[in-house]
Amino acid sequence: MVNMRPFTAFEQENLKFLVNHNVKFTQVEITPTGLGKGILDSTAPMRAYFIEEGVHNYEEQLQGQEHKVMRDAVILTETSQHLTQASFYRPTTKKGDPRMWIYKLGSFTEGNDIHVLFYFERKLYSINITHINIAACYNSPIITPIKEVLMEINHRGNSVSEELLGKFRSVSGQWFESEVLADTGIGRSIESFLGISMNSDKTPDYKGIELKSHREKRSSKKNVLFTQTPDWDISVLKSGREIVAKYGYLTDDGKKTYQNTAQCDPPNSQGLFLNVNQLKELLELQAQKSRVEDVAAWRLMKLHQRLTTKHHETFWIEVENAIHDNKEYFCYKQIEHTRNPNVGQFDVLLEQNLITVDLLLCRPSGHGDTYSFKIKKKGMPLLFPESIIYNI
């Protein structure tokens, strides 16, 4: 699949506006070939979005026109809307590569235009961000279809974030005792404060908003994005224990463990490193010994899906903490509010070592194996291009 061309400054402004108005979307470039044939490739970020929003799942679809799936769609222009349908299918040729098309789209686009797609009220909407000034439509005194649908989406999104922010500001300046003296203590205390159960780490915490907390004077300069186990069905080694058996090291009590960070370059002290394989759409964990050895792998599409599901909207909560009598106390200092990560940057940030993976396997503490994807602080504005800082 061909990579999307870079966004123009005009298109970037449109995307920033949508992000700041709570619109969760994917984007597609209408290539001249695709426009001529009425066929668009469904890229990995598009497929992840379609699955997450309940639009379509290509993995469950058989090949051939007879298995084509149709969805209601709407093409929005500056002043009008055009009801139509979108098709999703896998051809019998080319290994069934996922395809989609929006009927009538050819009348509202030119070759190499970029459109955003978003799903709302069981309809797939399309806006041409190459030519349409979305901010001007939204701020126009004239009520247009673009203005109506975006205002409703924005209103629904803001109501939850305002409610959550109000809860933190209601306890401004107060100190709380952490539930346990551990790295997870503050996060658990915040969940108790908000009345939510311990998170399974698969869905956002509070009515669709993910909560991430960190201490103001922490030694780590990284934020945890999510944890994700490798896809063992496509991995050479089939478990964390197998990784430890082959590449682990002995602790002081003679037990084997593996606790280290893997990045794309250079290999870590055990010789493990990451490789972004775009051709196979995989993130590979490999070992540099006498030769390069495959260890495990993640499907990039699944990682993109985890990112967009987990961090559609996030409160990154910074606290001030203090230890007294072997107990930890904290108060809320600042919240960074992010929306809609730029999935297209995820692979690039991996290649630039701004996103890394902590492998914590067979730990003496007895905790289960975790594969923690972390982002360095200087990578945050690249993955989350627009954020708002609230002082508590």
Side-chain angles (χ1 to χ4, degrees), residues 33 259 382:
T33 300
Q259 299 178 66
L382 301 173

Side-chain angles (χ1 to χ4, degrees), residues 21 67 92 99 105 218 255 284 290 365:
H21 288 75
H67 300 293
T92 53
R99 304 277 194 261
L105 190 63
R218 61 183 175 172
K255 294 182 179 179
E284 299 168 329
S290 57
S365 63

